[in-house]
Amino acid sequence: MFGTFFITGDPLILGAQVSIGLVSLAAIFIVTYFKKWKWLWTEWITTVDHKKIGIMYILAAILMLFRGGVDALLIRTQLALPHLEFLHAGHYNAIFTTHGVIMILFMAMPFMFGLFNIAVPLQIGARDVAYPYLNSLSFWLFFIGAMLFNISFVIGGSPDAGWLAYPPLSELSGSPGIGQNFYIWGIQISGIGSLASGINFVATILKMRAPGMKLMRMPMFTWSVLASSLTIMFAFPILTVTMAMLFLDRFLGAHFFTLDGGGNPMMYVNLIWMWGHPEVYIVILPAFGIFSDIVSTFAKKKLFGYKSMVFALMSISILSFFTWLHHFFTMGSGADVNAFFAITTMVIAIPTGVKVFNWLFTLYKGRINFSQPMLWTIAFIPCFVIGGMTGVMLAVAPADFQFHNSYFLIAHFHQVLIGGVVFGYFAGMYYWWPKMFGFKLDEKIGKWAFWFWNIGFYVCFMPQYALGLMGMTRRFNNYDTDLGWLPLNIVSTVGAFIMGLGFLFQIWQIVYSLRNHKKEKTGDAWDGRSLEWSIPSPAPMYNFARLPQVSSQDEWWEEKERRAAGVPVEPAQPLEPIHMPKNSGIPFIASIFWFIFGFGLVWDWLWMAIPGFIGIVVTLFARSFSFDTDYYIPVDEVRRSEEAALKGAK
Amino acid sequence: MSQAVSHGSHGHGHDDHGHHDQESLKVFGFWLFLITDVLLFGTVFATYIVLHHNTNGGPTPKELFEMPGVIWETFILLTSSFTSGLAVLQMHKGNKKGLIGWLIITVLLGLSFLTLEITEFVNMANEGATISTSAFLSSFFTLVGTHGLHVTVGSFWIIGVIIQLARHGITDVTKRKVTITSLYWHFLDVVWIFVLTIVYLWG
Ligand code: HEM
Ligand SMILES: [Cu+2]
């Protein structure tokens, strides 16, 4: 049994096992040595504070960016030279599969939820999200799902049927091992968490806004979160069902997507893309929101075309549900169907174009400040424009017969995913970093990171457009010298490593700034416009000592103008005790049971899955039966903490 | 910016305010959850509709379904929806005993529905019609089973609420829980009507 349990025989994997073992031991040793277990439990693991949950999400996302990035470098190394014996075919399949899954589901998604958590309640003048306990549960479900997926590398074997796991490859007939089970349960568990987060943020934005904050006064990031969360609510149930059906096929011998028994693999392809296409908009919409906020803050101007921005966000989120078929134009749906989906896909370019022009008009004649968040925003615009144009090229159904599954496509989607999503979230991270931790990240090291990422990006992916047109298709690990692809592949691999350097510089930037930062005292690090900049950094646990009364868009900016103009300030309202949720260990414990349940099902071990399931039910009941879930922060304590923040500011 | 005037406008005592909003906020969240559940069922229905002709030489819907049992199931579930409505009525009257009584009846009806459904499934399996027989049966068991699973969850949930009502009486919190479970229960009723029409009558 252990022969199939632990993966052995490959030096790469042995290396991974040893390093995972060492890192875990080191972590346990450090926490024990500094006697931090209790602190870890009470301050972080059981926390229901959205700001801390946000930080944990972002930390996890950076770890996963590392894992996914190492996968990417392995892929590119293999492709650098023809007939390289670095990764053999099976291993290569596993690596591009885990790379795709990890980057989208375990890097982009948590990064996004992290930023939601950090910024949304503060932007709308709320003390919390709508369901803080559920928020913590969402995080732990994501985390456990990601861990379950990641251990497949050393235990049992990774999935290798591609990031969307088309049947029959992902069926028992195509993937008889257990790797595909890890895929199903890793995604299923974290997906439930994502769905819950979607609901949470829709409710937060619709119901928790400060008095006077009408919908049309919300900051653009909050709008984009609303659009993205609504899309999550409509897309993720489809994923849940699809994964469940694939599981039934594999576990109980059902015939949803099998080639025999009347199953229909094409239905899987439809279902997975009905989730998958909206999914890419789920991750890009918040990036649009981040850029909008940053552009107006750093150009010190009101955002150009606010209403059209809102309209663009909402129409993109709706249209994203009507384009899924463009992912399989070549599968014989017929000309009419292809034409319909080609047109709906191209229509999305219109609202997207509107947004780009609005950003440019906002920047026009602005007094632009080129700090870190703005740099990444500037880099994003041309990158996204090129990526969008190649996307429209792919949307031309007849032309797609040429581009389909070629490196042209790989280059396109990395351009929008890296240039749009990753750059966007980096911009957001740099922008809200002072709000999270009370200091800015070092500019100088950041510029190095910025240039490595940007140059590396173009060096890596521009050659891939050409390679695609030269006929190089995706997902193979070998090519012949006489095809003439060698030079461009070498260049591309060099570019990938330059991006890797960019990542290392970012880590250095964070470590360096942790040691050598200057405290950011005003709370308003960038001379901002929305409410999160009106309170101290890092924000106190209750966010706002007194709930703000909002009377305009860019409320905090207007307030600063009013103060400068000497408009008399109303006397402060008396403080009141603040109602807060209590910490809870249940989300973490419940997620552990989810892990046991999922791991048991991965191995078909009912003796393990059943106790896991019972544990899940018991923890649900335990929560339902605990009535003592909140408390009040007394006025004295609020006053003390506000005074301390004021003193820090002086 | 100025500050929001103290939200004491609720009128009642301090411990209570904020709490009140919390409960209605949770009901709102439950509505959002129901939307996602509609989509979940929608996807399962769609697969059933696509696959229900793919019988792979196995039994067809016509040969398989026994209408009397299904009519009973329908009747029992509709009645349970009615009794859960009566429970809510008693709750608004402040009658704890009546509330608990009707909830117990609701759960009992739910459990009888499940018994009938499980018997039906077992009979089918004995006739060789299992989830692995054909794509039609895979989608049939998954669709009807998903509904059954929801009824199971609902039954346990209501039992939990009954215990809490017995312990704490009718409070804001238990009221909200009763409201949510009864919403859920009515929702399952509506889904069943679709199951009845699309699976049993249409088949
Ligand atoms: C950091 C630099 C990155 C590099 C150098 C890189 C490189 C690659 C390469 C070489 C492939 C495989 C092509 C093939 O299958 O032959 C690939 C696939 C893929 N990448 Fe990346 N990638 C990077 C970042 C990202 C990011 C940030 C995302 C998403 C947010 C992403 C998503 C994907 C997906 C979805 C696939 C498809 C996997 C599949 O074919 O199943 N990548 N990447
Ligand atoms: Cu698409």
Side-chain angles (χ1 to χ4, degrees):
Chain A
M1 191 203 87
F2 274 112
T4 53
F5 193 77
F6 284 113
I7 299 290
T8 46
D10 186 307
L12 266 177
I13 292 177
L14 188 69
Q17 276 162 333
V18 171
S19 49
I20 292 174
L22 287 180
V23 169
S24 318
L25 279 178
I28 293 175
F29 176 76
I30 291 173
V31 177
T32 312
Y33 184 80
F34 290 102
K35 301 205 174 66
K36 289 289 188 194
W37 285 111
K38 188 148 177 276
W39 169 82
L40 206 60
W41 176 259
T42 50
E43 293 290 316
W44 293 94
I45 293 176
T46 61
T47 189
V48 289
D49 181 344
H50 65 91
K51 299 174 289 291
K52 287 187 174 167
I53 291 176
I55 291 172
M56 292 195 289
Y57 265 123
I58 292 178
L59 194 65
I62 292 175
L63 276 176
M64 289 294 108
L65 180 61
F66 176 73
R67 158 82 211 259
V70 170
D71 281 346
L73 295 182
L74 293 177
I75 302 174
R76 276 313 325 164
T77 306
Q78 169 64 24
L79 291 177
L81 301 171
H83 300 298
L84 212 58
E85 296 279 323
F86 179 57
L87 302 177
H88 42 85
H91 199 176
Y92 185 85
N93 291 347
I95 292 205
F96 73 64
T97 302
T98 52
H99 164 74
V101 174
I102 285 178
M103 282 299 195
I104 297 207
L105 286 160
F106 302 131
M107 188 282 287
M109 291 294 277
F111 213 139
M112 172 183 94
F113 286 132
L115 296 170
F116 285 14
N117 267 294
I118 300 290
V120 169
L122 302 182
Q123 285 202 326
I124 61 175
R127 292 209 166 110
D128 214 327
V129 295
Y131 316 112
Y133 168 86
L134 185 68
N135 199 21
S136 157
L137 185 61
S138 293
F139 171 76
W140 287 111
L141 286 179
F142 144 72
F143 187 78
I144 284 301
M147 289 305 116
L148 187 61
F149 185 85
N150 270 280
I151 59 167
S152 71
F153 188 57
V154 288
I155 293 180
S158 291
D160 54 6
W163 84 279
L164 286 183
Y166 283 7
L169 260 185
S170 54
E171 291 283 356
L172 271 185
S173 54
S175 298
I178 59 145
Q180 202 52 45
N181 297 350
F182 275 118
Y183 174 96
I184 292 173
W185 286 102
I187 290 183
Q188 192 68 300
I189 294 172
S190 69
I192 295 169
S194 303
L195 187 54
S197 276
I199 293 176
N200 211 337
F201 280 94
V202 170
T204 303
I205 295 172
L206 293 182
K207 293 287 181 184
M208 305 280 284
R209 278 167 290 136
M213 175 158 297
K214 300 195 177 118
L215 283 175
M216 289 314 267
R217 285 179 187 161
M218 293 195 312
M220 204 39 83
F221 178 65
T222 299
W223 263 114
S224 72
V225 174
L226 182 61
S228 168
S229 302
L230 283 169
T231 314
I232 290 175
M233 273 180 56
F234 283 82
F236 269 74
I238 309 178
L239 176 70
T240 306
V241 172
T242 312
M243 286 299 119
M245 292 195 296
L246 187 60
F247 172 69
L248 289 176
D249 273 7
R250 293 177 61 89
F251 189 72
L252 292 183
H255 292 286
F256 285 104
F257 313 125
T258 55
L259 287 174
D260 59 344
N264 186 348
M266 205 53 219
M267 201 170 61
Y268 181 92
V269 178
N270 274 295
L271 287 174
I272 199 78
W273 279 114
M274 277 184 212
W275 161 77
H277 191 82
E279 164 67 13
V280 302
Y281 286 93
I282 287 168
V283 293
I284 195 71
L285 289 172
F288 291 165
I290 293 169
F291 294 130
S292 304
D293 279 7
I294 289 179
V295 158
S296 60
T297 300
F298 287 75
K300 299 222 180 308
K301 278 172 68 186
K302 225 185 173 82
L303 186 71
F304 184 91
Y306 178 92
K307 278 191 186 144
S308 62
M309 283 293 208
V310 172
F311 180 77
L313 283 173
M314 287 302 163
S315 45
I316 291 174
S317 73
I318 293 168
L319 283 171
S320 70
F321 284 93
F322 296 93
T323 62
W324 80 87
L325 198 132
H326 64 211
H327 294 277
F328 40 99
F329 278 147
T330 59
M331 292 202 203
S333 322
D336 297 340
V337 176
N338 278 0
F340 174 82
F341 284 93
I343 292 168
T344 51
T345 304
M346 291 181 205
V347 167
I348 292 196
I350 300 170
T352 313
V354 168
K355 304 181 77 64
V356 173
F357 281 110
N358 283 343
W359 291 319
L360 294 179
F361 284 131
T362 311
L363 289 173
Y364 181 66
K365 286 198 172 162
R367 288 168 285 145
I368 303 171
N369 166 343
F370 290 97
S371 301
Q372 294 275 297
M374 191 64 209
L375 274 186
W376 291 90
T377 306
I378 300 266
F380 149 81
I381 293 175
C383 199
F384 201 78
V385 168
I386 303 174
M389 282 185 323
T390 54
V392 174
M393 287 169 75
L394 285 160
V396 180
D400 188 62
F401 279 75
Q402 177 66 29
F403 305 139
H404 185 68
N405 274 354
S406 76
Y407 261 80
F408 189 89
L409 165 93
I410 302 277
H412 153 72
F413 78 70
H414 281 93
Q415 183 140 33
V416 283
L417 281 171
I418 297 181
V421 177
V422 178
F423 285 10
Y425 294 174
F426 283 167
M429 180 183 79
Y430 289 115
Y431 182 53
W432 284 302
W433 189 278
K435 193 44 61 186
M436 290 189 255
F437 299 107
F439 62 91
K440 286 184 190 173
L441 285 174
D442 188 78
E443 284 284 332
K444 217 161 135 203
I445 310 176
K447 284 215 170 101
W448 281 96
F450 173 81
W451 285 110
F452 279 129
W453 266 103
N454 271 274
I455 295 170
F457 173 81
Y458 288 96
V459 174
C460 180
F461 291 104
M462 291 304 120
Q464 293 186 12
Y465 281 117
L467 282 169
L469 296 178
M470 289 158 79
M472 179 160 159
T473 50
R474 73 197 285 203
R475 292 180 180 168
F476 62 50
N477 70 332
N478 220 341
Y479 54 90
D480 274 330
T481 324
D482 54 8
L483 289 164
W485 300 344
L486 173 61
L488 287 174
N489 268 310
I490 293 185
V491 174
S492 178
T493 301
V494 170
F497 279 89
I498 299 179
M499 276 189 276
L501 265 181
F503 179 78
L504 292 182
F505 269 83
Q506 285 179 304
I507 301 299
W508 179 28
Q509 181 188 21
I510 293 175
V511 174
Y512 177 87
S513 314
L514 277 174
R515 299 243 193 108
N516 304 300
H517 62 260
K518 221 169 73 224
K519 189 148 174 42
E520 201 290 302
K521 285 179 179 162
T522 59
D524 191 3
W526 312 105
D527 197 5
R529 308 177 75 84
S530 40
L531 292 179
E532 73 264 39
W533 307 110
S534 70
I535 52 175
S537 299
M541 68 181 297
Y542 46 80
N543 297 353
F544 296 87
R546 303 174 179 85
L547 284 187
Q549 172 81 43
V550 178
S551 57
S552 62
Q553 233 179 62
D554 291 347
E555 173 67 20
W556 174 236
W557 182 262
E558 302 287 330
E559 169 76 8
K560 286 187 279 190
E561 305 260 276
R562 281 196 292 268
R563 283 186 194 168
V567 178
V569 197
E570 283 173 45
Q573 296 289 336
L575 290 171
E576 290 191 359
I578 296 176
H579 184 225
M580 293 303 265
K582 275 190 185 163
N583 283 0
S584 168
I586 295 179
F588 179 72
I589 296 168
S591 305
I592 299 278
F593 283 118
W594 271 100
F595 187 89
I596 296 171
F597 174 64
F599 194 77
L601 287 179
V602 164
W603 288 91
D604 282 3
W605 290 343
L606 287 181
W607 58 264
M608 186 169 180
I610 292 172
F613 181 74
I614 294 173
I616 297 171
V617 174
V618 169
T619 45
L620 275 175
F621 259 80
R623 170 64 184 185
S624 178
F625 276 73
S626 60
F627 273 57
D628 180 25
T629 54
D630 31 27
Y631 70 107
Y632 280 90
I633 306 181
V635 172
D636 286 348
E637 208 179 312
V638 178
R639 183 171 301 125
R640 242 178 292 133
S641 123
E642 287 297 294
E643 275 163 8
L646 261 182
K647 237 185 248 141
K650 278 185 190 128
Chain B
M1 73 235 87
S2 56
Q3 298 121 19
V5 183
S6 101
H7 28 223
S9 51
H10 287 296
H12 37 256
H14 216 121
D15 291 336
D16 220 38
H17 98 248
H19 232 74
H20 214 71
D21 300 335
Q22 291 276 317
E23 303 312 324
S24 70
L25 187 62
K26 284 183 178 158
V27 177
F28 178 74
F30 192 74
W31 277 104
L32 295 181
F33 162 76
L34 279 187
I35 296 178
T36 64
D37 220 23
V38 166
L39 285 150
L40 186 137
F41 273 110
T43 315
V44 185
F45 271 110
T47 33
Y48 178 81
I49 291 169
V50 171
L51 293 178
H52 80 283
H53 286 305
N54 302 9
T55 50
N56 188 35
T60 63
K62 277 216 179 66
E63 295 162 20
L64 216 55
F65 300 151
E66 283 158 18
M67 279 325 269
V70 177
I71 302 290
W72 267 110
E73 285 172 29
T74 310
F75 178 70
I76 291 173
L77 201 65
L78 290 185
T79 314
S80 78
S81 209
F82 182 66
T83 56
S84 91
L86 290 180
V88 174
L89 220 63
Q90 291 301 319
M91 177 176 81
H92 288 310
K93 282 195 190 144
N95 177 357
K96 180 173 143 185
K97 271 208 181 119
L99 166 58
I100 293 183
W102 284 117
L103 285 182
I104 291 178
I105 295 176
T106 307
V107 170
L108 290 177
L109 289 170
L111 294 178
S112 355
F113 169 86
L114 283 173
T115 316
L116 281 180
E117 186 160 82
I118 291 169
T119 320
E120 188 198 26
F121 280 11
V122 171
N123 285 341
M124 285 187 186
N126 286 339
E127 289 164 29
T130 67
I131 194 166
S132 59
T133 307
S134 69
F136 152 63
L137 281 167
S138 302
S139 62
F140 166 80
F141 280 112
T142 304
L143 172 55
V144 181
T146 305
H147 177 268
L149 200 66
H150 274 72
V151 175
T152 316
V153 170
S155 304
F156 278 102
W157 197 356
I158 298 181
I159 293 173
V161 174
I162 293 174
I163 298 172
Q164 292 172 27
L165 279 168
R167 276 201 204 157
H168 302 269
I170 303 177
T171 67
D172 277 354
V173 175
T174 51
K175 246 188 189 163
R176 180 253 305 164
K177 291 189 177 183
V178 174
T179 312
I180 286 181
T181 43
S182 84
L183 253 176
Y184 182 72
W185 203 256
H186 292 314
F187 168 73
L188 294 184
D189 219 34
V190 176
V191 174
W192 179 256
I193 301 293
F194 279 92
V195 173
L196 179 73
T197 325
I198 292 179
V199 177
Y200 293 102
L201 298 181
W202 195 45

